[in-house]
Amino acid sequence: MTIQSVRVFEPASAFSQTSRRSSPKPPPHIWHASDPPFKGFQPAPSDGYKQSSTSTAIVIDNGSSLVRAGWSFDKSPRLSLPANVARYRDRKLNRTCMYVGYDAYADATTRGQIRNAFEPGSSIVANWDVMEGVLDYTFLKLGLGTVEEGIGRPIVMTEPVANLGYSRKTMTELLFECYSAPSVAYGIDALLSYRYNKGKNGLVISSSHSSTHVIPVLDSKPIMSSVSRLNWGGYHGAEYLLKLLKLKYPTFPGKMTDYQAQEMVRDHCYISQDFDGEMRRYLDWTGLEDRDHLIQYPFTEHVVVEKTEEELAKIAERKKESGRRLQEQAAKMRLDKLVRKEQELEYFKDLQQRLANQTKKEIKRLLDEDEFKDEAQLDRMIKELDKSVRKARSKDIGGTDNPEEEEEQTFPLLDIPDDQLDEAGLKQKRHQRLMKSGVEARARAKVEKEQEKARAAEEERRDEERRQDDLNGWLEGKRAARAAYLQKIKERDRLKADLGNRKSLASQMRMKTLANLASDQPGRKRRRGGDDDNFGANDDDWGVYRTVQTGDQSEDEEEEDLSAGLKNVEAQLLQYDATFTENNTLEAQSDWTKSLLHAFLRGPRPFDPESQKEAHQIHLNVERIRVPEVVFQPAIAGLDQAGLVEIVADIINQRFTSVQDRDALLKDVFLTGGNTLFQGFDERFSRDLRTVLPIEATLSIRRAGDSLNDAWRGAAQWAREPGFGALSVTREEYLEKGPEYLKEHNRGNPAAV
């Protein structure tokens, strides 16, 4: 077979194949991780500049998620791009290239150089070089690139609630000094969206990319002194999801990006109507197939090219024929060897008979001819050949299966003094002493084995007596023994995992020991003896083998001992402990169909660790409701703030004592911003808010027609109104009063902010 490595990018509409293990469940639906949002070449909509006049405003919704731009007469923004800029030096062209917006995701080189204009997690511009690049690109795409003396058009730009004075001042200087804008006006995006949706009295809930604001509005005027903010938005939700996934899959082989996390939050998360109850039931096996969403990342799969059945049959036949020939050759060789041994045995027996009636001189001559030193050696040779022949005949040609038991060995030379033996006798005596030591060692081992059996039987008897005398104490002891076994198994698995990680302490100590053993200049202990290697002379030296040993046999034996002991203890607990059931056993807890951890990590289907496809999968389950829940319960993400419902209740019940004002606000609760688009947001917010309001209060909740673009449309609508020019800061006013000057109106921040 042939093994190939193939990089797999499955189509977004594909469904996974049935798992290798049999499963009655249908194949899961797979969502694929989003690619970088590169959109290719986008032609510039330059016809807008020709349609515009000097009174036509350029409308820019300067959001931290997306910058939207267009002309005031447009119904929708012409441009929508992230405030990203990537610069790098092209050595071949000897020039610096700049990519803006989605173009910055063109390739890995540009993606590595991306810089955002906004401070992470806020709507405050922090990188003005990037902001200038985004504005250059915006004006160029709107057809203003050929204008030499400034843009020549008024600018309407959105800004966050309570925007910093320094940030607005710098933006004003940039627009007037760099682009020579004739006038500039700022408005709050949430208020512009509210006015576009014909709001006059109400409570504006704006949950955007960087934060969530609650703005009360009476008679079309925002009450800025009563505005409250929750420091949580779409950016923080994506960041929180990314942290949860990295904790959930610490060794995930793929790369999870911020953009992919934002897509997951947008496409898979929803607001739970009963968060606590649903969290408790979320990983129940019933219905988990629908609740668990599977995200597939690109992977490299090893494709095994299998041979056809005909080729496999031919290969099997060749192997079978080859094995048959080898078996025949081996049988023939064994038979020939058996025949030779039988001939030798007959010859030596005949020689032994001929020696019976010969003189000593003739006996010595006959023994020397066959290279025997004495008759004892000849007798040993006959016994060994006879034993070997009987064993071979029993194995090969079906002789008796029960050979004669080995005769009891005797060691007569050990009782004879050394001075009465010649050199051959002394050598034979040493051999008999070694043989006797082996026989005695086997006898001692047999006795110790019998003693161990007796000790185990006695321990079992005492254990039974303890059980009968004190059942509760006996059960406590068994529970402690089970806990000790589990701890040993846990430590064994941890050590095995550490040995697989070359950076772990266990692996480093093992490699250090091996390096010392293999070193040409070993440690101080071995240097004392010069160049002589006396390793093993010390009993402690043999502990090195236990330190570096990672063989399968010892691991298997240890695993069998621990597993057998644990099963024995659990069997006793199952028999005598009413509180200990099959579900409490380690085997049941290790069963993936009963494991809560498996449901959390791998969903309702088995996991194959050898499959690269399954290793590159992410399962979204409890995260789908945990991430958006932070808006209502910020403490989930460690945020020391009140939730959205508590903030609204505080504004309604504490800051507006007038019943008329309170009723006016509650009759038009307006939701806007991309972070309010979660499924079930309206229902959950309405239900929770009613629990903190007076019974007689009337609550009406509505959302923006387009939560993402209505802020831009509201700014464009404002720019078309007759009184817009009087609310803008002109270039003359800028030169006279400075960049801090701001005109107050009902759609923007007060000048004191």
Side-chain angles (χ1 to χ4, degrees):
M1 65 180 177
T2 304
I3 299 179
Q4 301 174 345
S5 295
V6 180
R7 187 70 170 174
V8 180
F9 296 89
E10 295 187 347
S13 60
F15 288 82
S16 68
Q17 300 296 326
T18 305
S19 177
R20 295 178 186 177
R21 305 178 190 179
S22 59
S23 175
K25 298 181 177 64
H29 179 69
I30 294 180
W31 288 265
H32 293 267
S34 304
D35 295 327
F38 176 62
K39 297 187 177 181
F41 175 73
Q42 300 292 322
S46 57
D47 58 328
Y49 180 73
K50 298 178 182 179
Q51 301 175 19
S52 67
S53 63
T54 55
S55 62
T56 304
I58 299 174
V59 182
I60 301 175
D61 181 9
N62 195 26
S64 57
S65 174
L66 292 175
V67 176
R68 300 174 178 87
W71 299 96
S72 58
F73 53 76
D74 291 330
K75 294 183 178 180
S76 297
R78 293 181 176 234
L79 295 177
S80 181
L81 66 151
N84 295 332
V85 168
R87 292 187 178 94
Y88 79 97
R89 186 74 179 176
D90 193 325
R91 297 182 179 179
K92 293 183 179 180
L93 300 177
N94 194 24
R95 57 184 294 185
T96 300
C97 302
M98 183 173 71
Y99 295 83
V100 182
Y102 292 112
D103 295 344
Y105 296 96
D107 56 26
T109 303
T110 58
R111 289 196 295 271
Q113 301 296 327
I114 288 179
R115 300 293 181 269
N116 193 272
F118 293 88
E119 182 179 348
S122 75
S123 298
I124 306 301
V125 178
N127 193 326
W128 291 99
D129 289 338
V130 173
M131 192 74 249
E132 184 177 353
V134 172
L135 291 175
D136 287 343
Y137 181 85
T138 301
F139 295 142
L140 178 66
K141 288 294 185 179
L142 291 177
L144 300 171
T146 59
V147 179
E148 297 179 357
E149 298 180 0
I151 57 177
R153 300 291 186 273
I155 294 179
V156 181
M157 181 175 288
T158 64
E159 65 176 3
V161 176
N163 189 21
L164 297 179
Y166 171 77
S167 179
R168 185 189 301 114
K169 169 190 170 183
T170 308
M171 180 64 75
T172 302
E173 290 178 345
L174 181 64
L175 294 175
F176 280 117
E177 299 293 344
C178 191
Y179 300 104
S180 300
S183 65
V184 175
Y186 298 101
I188 297 175
D189 49 3
L191 295 177
L192 292 170
S193 176
Y194 185 57
R195 292 293 291 273
Y196 179 76
N197 286 271
K198 299 178 174 56
K200 185 178 180 181
N201 295 290
L203 196 65
V204 179
I205 311 294
S206 173
S207 187
S208 60
H209 184 68
S210 58
S211 59
T212 299
H213 288 94
V214 181
I215 309 173
V217 179
L218 292 175
D219 296 328
S220 301
K221 182 178 180 179
I223 313 301
M224 300 303 295
S225 60
S226 298
V227 173
S228 293
R229 177 173 62 198
L230 173 63
N231 295 324
W232 189 268
Y235 170 86
H236 306 89
E239 185 182 37
Y240 183 49
L241 176 62
L242 202 59
K243 290 180 180 179
L244 292 178
L245 292 179
K246 288 181 179 179
L247 288 173
K248 187 175 183 178
Y249 302 101
T251 59
F252 187 69
K255 182 179 180 181
M256 295 178 282
T257 63
D258 297 337
Y259 177 78
Q260 291 170 344
Q262 293 176 14
E263 292 291 308
M264 292 180 197
V265 171
R266 185 183 65 193
D267 297 339
H268 302 281
C269 293
Y270 64 94
I271 298 292
S272 173
Q273 304 304 312
D274 179 17
F275 178 74
D276 294 335
E278 191 167 355
M279 278 291 288
R280 287 192 295 267
R281 302 185 302 268
Y282 211 94
L283 294 178
D284 291 348
W285 290 95
T286 304
L288 185 58
E289 296 88 348
D290 300 326
R291 296 189 297 271
D292 185 81
H293 284 197
L294 194 155
I295 313 298
Q296 180 70 64
Y297 275 73
F299 61 96
T300 301
E301 188 68 272
H302 297 295
V303 180
V304 180
V305 181
E306 298 287 351
K307 298 182 180 297
T308 62
E309 295 183 0
E310 183 179 355
E311 292 175 337
L312 292 175
K314 291 182 179 179
I315 293 174
E317 184 63 28
R318 286 198 298 268
K319 288 182 178 180
K320 186 176 181 180
E321 183 64 25
S322 177
R324 185 165 53 251
R325 289 198 300 269
L326 290 175
Q327 290 176 355
E328 292 176 354
Q329 293 176 1
K332 183 178 180 181
M333 292 175 62
R334 288 195 301 270
L335 185 59
D336 293 343
K337 188 175 181 180
L338 176 60
V339 171
R340 289 196 302 270
K341 286 183 177 181
E342 289 178 342
Q343 292 175 351
E344 290 178 359
L345 179 61
E346 292 296 329
Y347 173 78
F348 290 141
K349 284 183 176 180
D350 180 68
L351 176 62
Q352 190 178 38
Q353 292 177 358
R354 285 189 287 119
L355 294 178
N357 300 321
Q358 302 293 333
T359 62
K360 291 184 176 181
K361 184 176 181 180
E362 184 65 18
I363 291 174
K364 182 173 179 56
R365 184 184 67 79
L366 293 175
L367 291 175
D368 289 342
E369 287 181 356
D370 291 300
E371 299 180 353
F372 287 110
K373 294 181 179 180
D374 53 20
E375 293 185 56
Q377 186 177 4
L378 174 62
D379 186 60
R380 288 197 303 274
M381 176 62 72
I382 292 174
K383 289 181 178 181
E384 290 175 0
L385 284 175
D386 183 61
K387 182 179 179 181
S388 177
V389 167
R390 284 189 286 108
K391 183 177 180 181
R393 186 182 294 115
S394 174
K395 181 178 180 180
D396 292 337
I397 60 177
T400 176
D401 292 335
N402 297 317
E404 297 179 2
E405 296 183 359
E406 183 177 358
E407 298 179 0
E408 184 179 357
Q409 295 183 350
T410 58
F411 311 99
L413 294 180
L414 297 181
D415 298 331
I416 301 176
D418 292 348
D419 55 0
Q420 299 180 13
L421 298 174
D422 56 6
E423 183 178 354
L426 292 173
K427 185 176 180 180
Q428 182 63 24
K429 184 178 180 180
R430 288 194 296 270
H431 177 72
Q432 290 185 4
R433 185 179 291 113
L434 291 175
M435 295 294 294
K436 183 179 180 182
S437 299
V439 171
E440 291 175 349
R442 288 192 293 272
R444 287 195 302 270
K446 185 176 181 180
V447 172
E448 291 175 358
K449 188 174 181 180
E450 294 295 332
Q451 292 176 351
E452 180 64 22
K453 288 183 178 179
R455 188 194 64 79
E458 179 65 19
E459 182 66 25
E460 185 176 354
R461 185 186 64 79
R462 292 179 180 178
D463 187 70
E464 182 66 19
E465 290 180 356
R466 285 195 297 269
R467 183 187 65 80
Q468 295 177 356
D469 296 340
D470 184 10
L471 179 60
N472 293 331
W474 181 82
L475 289 176
E476 288 296 329
K478 292 301 178 182
R479 295 189 189 105
R482 180 177 180 272
Y485 276 119
L486 292 176
Q487 183 64 26
K488 289 180 181 180
I489 292 175
K490 184 178 180 180
E491 292 177 356
R492 181 201 65 198
D493 295 340
R494 180 185 58 80
L495 180 60
K496 189 181 297 184
D498 287 344
L499 289 176
N501 180 12
R502 63 183 181 85
K503 294 184 179 180
S504 65
L505 179 61
S507 293
Q508 291 178 3
M509 294 300 296
R510 179 173 178 267
M511 294 307 299
K512 184 178 180 180
T513 303
L514 291 174
N516 288 336
L517 291 176
S519 175
D520 293 334
Q521 297 179 354
R524 182 181 303 171
K525 179 180 177 181
R526 295 183 64 185
R527 277 204 303 268
R528 292 177 182 173
D531 295 335
D532 295 336
D533 186 358
N534 60 354
F535 177 80
N538 235 333
D539 291 340
D540 295 338
D541 293 341
W542 298 96
V544 174
Y545 291 107
R546 291 189 293 272
T547 303
V548 302
Q549 204 284 125
T550 58
D552 296 335
Q553 183 177 359
S554 63
E555 290 182 359
D556 291 343
E557 291 176 355
E558 181 182 2
E559 185 172 356
E560 289 177 0
D561 293 341
L562 292 176
S563 300
L566 179 62
K567 287 183 178 180
N568 183 34
V569 172
E570 289 182 341
Q572 291 176 332
L573 289 174
L574 285 173
Q575 184 177 0
Y576 299 106
D577 189 358
T579 62
F580 191 84
T581 63
E582 287 287 347
N583 294 332
N584 299 119
T585 62
L586 179 62
E587 184 177 358
Q589 294 175 356
S590 301
D591 185 2
W592 70 269
T593 61
K594 302 176 182 178
S595 172
L596 185 67
L597 182 61
H598 180 93
F600 176 62
L601 293 175
R602 304 300 174 185
R605 292 171 178 82
F607 174 67
D608 182 8
E610 300 298 329
S611 172
Q612 289 297 314
K613 178 178 181 179
E614 296 185 21
H616 285 75
Q617 290 177 349
I618 286 177
H619 291 260
L620 294 179
N621 33 63
V622 296
E623 298 85 6
R624 297 180 60 202
I625 61 174
R626 184 174 182 178
V627 172
E629 182 67 21
V630 180
V631 176
F632 297 94
Q633 301 185 55
I636 292 177
L639 198 62
D640 189 16
Q641 284 188 264
L644 179 61
V645 175
E646 288 79 5
I647 292 175
V648 173
D650 177 71
I651 293 175
I652 296 296
N653 297 327
Q654 303 298 328
R655 305 186 190 184
F656 290 90
T657 57
S658 172
V659 176
Q660 182 179 359
D661 293 344
R662 185 189 64 192
D663 292 342
L665 294 176
L666 292 176
K667 286 180 181 179
D668 188 17
V669 178
F670 180 74
L671 304 179
T672 185
N675 206 40
T676 64
L677 295 177
F678 290 114
Q679 176 188 347
F681 189 96
D682 305 20
E683 295 81 357
R684 170 71 180 278
F685 179 70
S686 175
R687 190 199 66 187
D688 289 0
L689 184 57
R690 286 187 181 276
T691 61
V692 295
L693 294 178
I695 299 177
E696 68 276 5
T698 302
L699 178 62
S700 176
I701 298 177
R702 67 185 178 107
R703 64 169 56 252
D706 186 348
S707 297
L708 300 178
N709 293 321
D710 276 359
W712 184 93
R713 294 190 179 99
Q717 183 187 58
W718 179 37
R720 296 194 297 266
E721 293 181 359
F724 167 73
L727 302 177
S728 301
V729 178
T730 64
R731 182 173 180 80
E732 291 75 16
E733 291 172 332
Y734 163 76
L735 295 174
E736 178 184 355
K737 301 179 181 180
E740 295 88 356
Y741 179 65
L742 176 68
K743 292 183 178 180
E744 293 189 5
H745 50 81
N746 292 339
R747 296 176 177 85
N749 289 300
V753 177

